[in-house]
Amino acid sequence: MHAPAYPKVGSRQVFAIAGPAMIANLTTPLIGVVSTTAIGRLDDAALLGGVAMASVIFDCLFWLFGFLRMSTLAFTAQALGAGEARELTAILVRGFIVAGLIGAALIALQLPLTTALFDLMGGSEGVTRAAKTYFMIRIWSSPLAFANYVILGWLVGQARANPALLLQIVINLINMVATILLVLVYDTGIAGAAVAALLSETVGFILGVIVCRRYAEGGFAVPYATLFDRAKLMRMLAVNSDIMIRTAALIAVFLFFTAKGARAGDVTLAANSVLNNFLLVSAFFLDGLANAAQQLCGRTFGARDAKGFADSTRLVLLWGLGFALVVSALFALFGPAIIDFMTASEGVRRAARDFLLFIVLAPLPGVFAFGFDGIYVGATWAREMRNLMLASLAIFLGVWWSLQSYGNTGLWWALIAFYIARGGLQGARYPALFRATFSPPSPRLRGEGRGEGESPQGR
């Protein structure tokens, strides 16, 4: 089948995807705020610590399986660009199968996971007991949460960003409303907060299936041979494995950063925590553009449209740079006032202001780190993405080791170096990957059976 014709890639296409993704990202932190506030009003420090500890564990655990959204988005966009209508539904159903298997495995392993994870966290007896209560309930939401990753990736992969936005907002709002009702009105304690998360993922999945059914050509019925096509399954496994390793390396950086900040003392830990909120704000905007890169680069990759792919890359990076400059300027101008608003402790305020420079600098290298992540995911250059992320992790650790005598300052420079390495290494590798992907195969390669227009990653 010939790939369908699409309009020239422009800023309108970028923001049709990036805009809804940015809005959805802004609603996500409200869940943590509402949960913390609701549990906090119970006036039990152990419960508050428990929900905080369990939330960190789930953030990392679910983040590790974020490849379900990213790979689904990339494969969907590529199939769309290639005009493979039947494959679109197969990608969705395969994603559901993988999400269900991973979620079922986590549920089956919940007891050893609980023991290992909470022993590692090292909380007090009361905090650990509360966190385990939350964990043992919310773990049942994992198949649904992972299926929702697949649904969001599938919708955004087809540039249906508005339905994806509405689904994510519905999930978040149900979580918040259910938490308030169960915890504060019905007095179910920390178990109520976990049930709220389970309920929101369940409703989100049901609504998501209804929405997807509307867009799935011929419904969810997929021929067995198409669904379990060996080449497609092996490619999905390879891409997902590489993205998972890449994500594990990324999580390792932020866990290491948090752990070293904690060892530097309560004031330093609190100051880093305040400043981390600045990083999250800039990440919301840059991640929205990364979503646009995943869809546009994936679609043009599938259509074998080299110019469209290059235009998508250029636009995402340019708009990202524009956002980063604005965000950096706002942080420089209003950062001290925002810090004063977020904490009443003079010691924490002084410490946070001392490191505000790093927050002003971070969005600029972050443009290329987030932007190229989206580009590489869209093109499913997953193996290279994995290797370059591991190299960036090594650079982060090397910079920290060489600057550890400078304490928290050295730690922040290591994080900046990590951002620079992520974007810089992927940027340096990009031209060679672009040529290998879009250049016509040589006669020797054609003779070896590589078809015209086949991706190197598809072999």
Side-chain angles (χ1 to χ4, degrees):
M1 177 185 289
H2 292 292
Y6 288 100
K8 178 183 176 183
V9 175
S11 296
R12 177 179 296 180
Q13 284 76 28
V14 171
F15 282 99
I17 300 164
M22 291 175 184
I23 296 170
N25 285 342
L26 289 171
T27 69
T28 301
L30 295 176
I31 296 175
V33 172
V34 170
S35 296
T36 301
T37 303
I39 296 296
R41 290 182 66 86
L42 299 179
D43 197 23
D44 187 330
L47 292 182
L48 187 58
V51 76
M53 179 187 290
S55 295
V56 168
I57 289 174
F58 275 105
D59 285 346
C60 293
L61 192 62
F62 283 9
W63 188 10
L64 187 63
F65 297 105
F67 63 78
L68 288 164
R69 183 193 63 80
M70 289 188 282
S71 67
T72 301
L73 195 163
F75 289 140
T76 300
Q78 290 178 12
L80 185 71
E84 299 174 346
R86 178 177 293 184
E87 180 63 16
L88 288 175
T89 305
I91 290 166
L92 177 65
V93 177
R94 284 190 207 113
F96 283 158
I97 292 171
V98 175
L101 290 173
I102 294 173
L106 290 180
I107 291 171
L109 296 170
Q110 60 181 292
L111 291 177
L113 274 174
T114 302
T115 302
L117 291 172
F118 289 105
D119 284 350
L120 185 65
M121 295 293 286
S124 67
E125 182 180 348
V127 167
T128 300
R129 183 170 57 251
K132 284 183 177 179
T133 299
Y134 183 94
F135 183 92
M136 298 293 280
I137 296 171
R138 190 176 173 189
I139 194 68
W140 288 88
S141 74
S142 52
L144 300 163
F146 297 151
N148 287 332
Y149 286 175
V150 173
I151 290 168
L152 292 173
W154 193 73
L155 290 172
V156 176
Q158 296 178 74
R160 303 187 190 279
N162 287 331
L165 164 66
L166 291 175
L167 277 175
Q168 196 162 346
I169 289 176
V170 166
I171 291 171
N172 293 345
L173 286 177
I174 290 174
N175 196 330
M176 288 184 280
V177 172
T179 297
I180 293 170
L181 288 175
L182 291 172
V183 175
L184 296 181
V185 177
Y186 293 102
D187 196 25
T188 55
I190 197 169
V195 170
L198 174 58
L199 178 64
S200 66
E201 296 290 359
T202 303
V203 175
F205 173 69
I206 294 170
L207 292 177
V209 168
I210 293 171
V211 171
C212 290
R213 176 65 180 79
R214 177 184 175 187
Y215 296 121
E217 187 174 312
F220 294 141
V222 182
Y224 182 90
T226 301
L227 183 61
F228 295 103
D229 180 286
R230 186 177 184 277
K232 297 287 177 61
L233 288 173
M234 294 305 294
R235 184 172 181 234
M236 181 180 72
L237 178 63
V239 169
N240 284 345
S241 299
D242 288 335
I243 295 178
M244 184 177 181
I245 294 170
R246 166 261 179 197
T247 304
L250 184 58
I251 292 171
V253 169
F254 289 101
L255 288 179
F256 184 93
F257 183 90
T258 301
K260 289 299 177 184
R263 291 187 180 182
D266 291 348
V267 171
T268 298
L269 176 62
N272 285 354
S273 179
V274 168
L275 295 175
N276 186 55
N277 288 286
F278 288 77
L279 290 180
L280 288 175
V281 169
S282 62
F284 293 152
F285 295 103
L286 296 178
D287 187 61
L289 289 165
N291 272 267
Q294 290 171 24
Q295 200 282 331
L296 294 171
C297 289
R299 175 170 64 76
T300 51
F301 178 99
R304 316 305 301 154
D305 179 4
K307 184 178 185 305
F309 190 96
D311 288 344
S312 300
T313 299
R314 176 178 54 81
L315 283 169
V316 165
L317 294 178
L318 283 175
W319 277 112
L321 191 59
F323 271 102
L325 289 170
V326 171
V327 170
S328 291
L330 291 174
F331 286 168
L333 291 171
F334 303 109
I338 296 172
I339 290 169
D340 290 348
F341 176 78
M342 293 180 68
T343 177
S345 168
E346 282 301 322
V348 174
R349 286 175 172 178
R350 284 194 299 271
R353 289 193 203 101
D354 287 342
F355 300 107
L356 183 61
L357 171 64
F358 296 102
I359 298 302
V360 174
L361 293 176
L364 300 175
V367 171
F368 302 97
F370 281 83
F372 278 113
D373 273 357
I375 293 160
Y376 273 58
V377 168
T380 52
W381 293 334
R383 183 178 63 249
E384 290 79 6
M385 191 180 186
R386 175 202 68 195
N387 294 341
L388 296 175
M389 182 62 78
L390 291 172
S392 300
L393 170 60
I395 289 171
F396 167 77
L397 294 173
V399 172
W400 169 81
W401 185 82
S402 63
L403 298 178
Q404 60 181 309
S405 61
Y406 292 92
N408 202 48
T409 300
L411 188 62
W412 275 102
W413 276 121
L415 187 64
I416 296 296
F418 173 69
Y419 275 116
I420 294 171
R422 278 176 63 190
L425 292 175
Q426 289 184 112
R429 182 73 177 127
Y430 173 86
L433 290 172
F434 181 88
R435 287 192 300 270
T437 299
F438 291 104
S439 297
S442 67
R444 181 181 64 82
L445 286 175
R446 189 179 290 112
E448 291 175 355
R450 179 182 169 194
E452 182 72 28
E454 181 181 342
S455 158
Q457 285 68 38
R459 294 184 63 186

